[in-house]
Amino acid sequence: MTAPVPPRGLPRLILPGGPLQLRDHLAAFGPLPLGSAGGRGAASLITEVERSGLAGRGGAGFPAGRKLRAVADSTRAAGGRRAQAGAVVVANGAESEPASGKDRMLLARSPHLVLDGIAAAADAVGASSAYLSMHASSEDLARRVAAAVSERERLGGVPVQVVASRAGYLASQETALISQLNGGQPKPTFVPPRPFQKGAHGRPTLVANVETLAHIGLIARFGADWFCQVGHGAGSALVTISGAIRRPGVYEIPLGMPLGKLIEQAGGPSEQPQAILAGGYLGGWLPYAEALTIPVTPAALRAAGAAFGPGVLVVLPESACPLAETAWVAGYLASHSARQCGPCSNGLPALAATLRQLAFGRPDRKALGWADQLMTLVTGRGACNLPDGTAAFVASALRVFSAELRSHASAGPCQRVRRKPMLPAPGYRNARGRP
Amino acid sequence: MTVRLRVNPIACEAHGLCAELLPELITEDPWGYPIVAPGPVPDRLLPLARRAVALCPTLALLLSKDEQ
């Protein structure tokens, strides 16, 4: 039997007509080689992932190869599989960013690619246990994933236990996920020790986003050079685009694609657009016209004052008040503080309240000054990225929507503040009890 | 050898001893939580820093060599 041809161009991760049964999946992609990547004798999977430059797709963008290497070294230092019950692989499919749908889509349409990635990573780092963490929300999805897992029992390899993550914006944060596996609260823990040193059950743990693992499942077969053929060397990524867009949904794009081209692919704006939120709720705002030429890469989006994050883009229409929407999201984020760290527990609600004043009251120098002070006070002073990311998100709003601030200051809140918020905030009701 | 002061923000309960013992390097935010001056601890302040670390009621103040 000849080896399957490596996929040319896109799509790579989500094929039309999926999900494939295991037999068809293996026919389409070929068997998953363990021990060496791309069929090459000497190069280990870890080396190939390092060479590929694959960045984590969960939001932090940490180099995947470096993480694999750290877990493998940590496991070896502790004596490896036999001496210490091995490392643990945790596939993070517990997507908590409200405007993100890519991980659920990937698990529904390509569960075997994700499971391939788990198997390849487990083999590479010396893991003897693996978990796939998902939210319990969709019974249908849970069934599909469980079916894929049981189909693979005949392949042997590290058993994968599907576990339900608690709900909550922070529940899927790396250390919060591990805390759950250890029987604790879905809240971040202080580092060090980092998961690669000591994580689930005290063992070196690799926590990787399900999309990252799917890419690893392909790199294991086709190698780093193949991975880099798309996206100006950075590969492909899944993005979720929503808001005032004609065809909202999950798209697989080559990294570096101009944002305007992606918007076109998604049918263009459904009404007069105003701005784009890039990078999710811990990302930043982009004025619409300027956004179109920006290449969709972490570096370019960061330079423009936003972020790539978990590949989340929301188109904000003119009919929404950007200050009201920002206040709404700030309130949502503040309500999801784990309340473990003083600066965050105190600072985020104060920041959200100040945003509400700026949006619904009269923005004055004092309020703006207090907002600035709060953003400085919370940054770098919590155990996770929530305070820093919230501050960056708010800072970008105050920068990009300075015209709205001026007009609210002179003429009071605009009419648009009366509409229902359009940015999703599941389960959140603000102080006034309004959804 | 550079030594840095760090707060474990989860363990910290704003007792305020550190800010009182080491005002040269630690101030308080509006809610009583410590703000640590960035950078390595100057040699002359090391003994005071060690004392503040030892006296923190929740062991939230840490002295680390270079990076964590």
Side-chain angles (χ1 to χ4, degrees):
Chain A
M1 185 185 99
T2 53
V5 180
R8 281 180 60 83
L10 295 180
R12 291 178 161 183
L13 297 178
I14 300 182
L15 302 183
L20 301 171
Q21 302 266 33
L22 180 60
R23 192 189 47 217
D24 301 317
H25 169 82
L26 293 175
F29 292 106
L32 179 71
L34 295 178
S36 67
R40 291 164 186 72
S44 71
L45 176 68
I46 298 181
T47 304
E48 277 305 280
V49 176
E50 281 172 333
R51 281 204 324 116
S52 75
L54 171 68
R57 297 283 195 257
F62 191 84
R66 206 192 304 173
K67 217 188 234 193
L68 285 169
R69 180 75 67 191
V71 178
D73 287 349
S74 182
T75 307
R76 206 173 309 120
R81 258 193 192 93
R82 247 174 302 136
Q84 209 227 190
V88 179
V89 170
V90 179
N92 194 348
E95 193 165 38
S96 304
E97 185 70 46
S100 183
K102 71 173 179 81
D103 293 338
R104 265 169 287 256
M105 176 71 80
L106 184 65
L107 284 167
R109 299 281 301 276
S110 306
H112 283 298
L113 254 188
V114 174
L115 292 166
D116 283 345
I118 295 174
D123 183 67
V125 304
S128 51
S129 326
Y131 297 95
L132 171 49
S133 184
M134 294 171 49
H135 283 306
S137 48
S138 166
E139 273 187 32
D140 182 56
L141 181 58
R143 239 195 320 270
R144 288 202 212 193
V145 171
V149 168
S150 58
E151 262 192 298
R152 296 172 79 100
E153 263 152 33
R154 67 169 171 86
L155 296 177
V158 174
V160 177
Q161 197 180 332
V162 180
V163 289
S165 166
R166 301 262 297 275
Y169 192 76
L170 291 183
S172 56
Q173 192 265 5
E174 187 176 61
T175 60
L177 208 56
I178 288 175
S179 171
Q180 292 191 63
L181 289 171
N182 289 338
Q185 291 301 299
K187 297 180 177 189
T189 57
F190 181 64
V191 295
R194 291 193 178 276
F196 77 86
Q197 296 161 310
K198 191 174 170 207
H201 320 303
R203 292 148 59 179
T205 302
L206 173 78
V207 181
N209 178 265
V210 288
E211 186 194 336
T212 311
L213 288 162
H215 287 290
I216 289 175
L218 292 175
I219 292 172
R221 290 171 166 92
F222 307 122
D225 295 333
W226 165 84
F227 178 80
C228 298
Q229 277 169 14
V230 148
H232 305 283
S236 66
L238 295 177
V239 299
T240 314
I241 183 163
S242 66
I245 192 85
R246 282 220 167 81
R247 287 194 295 271
V250 175
Y251 292 82
E252 184 173 4
I253 62 162
L255 282 170
M257 165 188 218
L259 185 41
K261 191 148 172 252
L262 169 59
I263 288 178
E264 207 184 314
Q265 214 182 310
S270 56
E271 47 178 297
Q272 183 67 23
Q274 176 181 184
I276 297 180
L277 177 60
Y281 288 172
L282 305 186
W285 293 101
L286 301 164
Y288 188 77
E290 290 171 33
L292 301 177
T293 52
I294 298 175
V296 180
T297 68
L301 288 165
R302 229 184 344 258
F308 179 75
V312 172
L313 298 158
V314 187
V315 179
L316 188 76
E318 269 297 339
S319 59
C321 173
L323 297 176
E325 295 289 335
T326 300
W328 171 249
V329 169
Y332 166 81
L333 292 171
S335 76
H336 280 262
S337 169
R339 295 201 243 289
Q340 302 185 115
C341 306
C344 173
S345 314
N346 289 286
L348 291 198
L351 185 58
T354 309
L355 256 299
R356 281 193 292 275
Q357 189 193 327
L358 296 174
F360 301 103
R362 212 103 177 177
D364 56 21
R365 273 201 199 289
K366 195 155 155 254
L368 282 166
W370 182 222
D372 272 336
Q373 225 186 312
L374 285 167
M375 289 186 281
T376 305
L377 280 171
V378 303
T379 300
R381 296 181 64 228
C384 74
N385 194 45
L386 182 70
D388 304 51
T390 303
F393 164 73
V394 170
S396 83
L398 298 180
R399 200 174 48 236
V400 169
F401 304 119
S402 50
E404 272 79 4
L405 278 172
R406 277 194 300 276
S407 118
H408 278 225
S410 60
C414 59
Q415 295 283 40
R416 304 172 296 175
V417 304
R418 299 218 193 119
R419 61 162 288 169
K420 216 164 75 104
M422 64 156 294
L423 292 170
Y428 175 61
R429 268 163 162 64
N430 69 15
R432 288 197 180 100
R434 267 189 227 143
Chain B
M1 180 185 79
T2 59
V3 171
R4 280 167 212 278
L5 270 174
R6 227 185 130 206
V7 175
N8 174 343
I10 297 177
C12 177
E13 286 173 3
H15 287 280
L17 262 88
C18 59
E20 196 165 316
L21 291 172
L22 197 54
E24 297 89 343
L25 295 179
I26 302 179
T27 53
E28 283 187 4
D29 73 10
W31 310 289
Y33 292 87
I35 300 176
V36 179
V41 177
D43 285 346
R44 75 178 200 286
L45 292 174
L46 268 174
L48 278 173
R50 287 199 187 99
R51 190 154 154 256
V53 165
L55 289 175
C56 171
T58 58
L59 305 179
L61 190 63
L62 310 162
L63 261 176
S64 57
K65 289 192 192 84
D66 227 80
E67 293 179 303
Q68 75 258 27

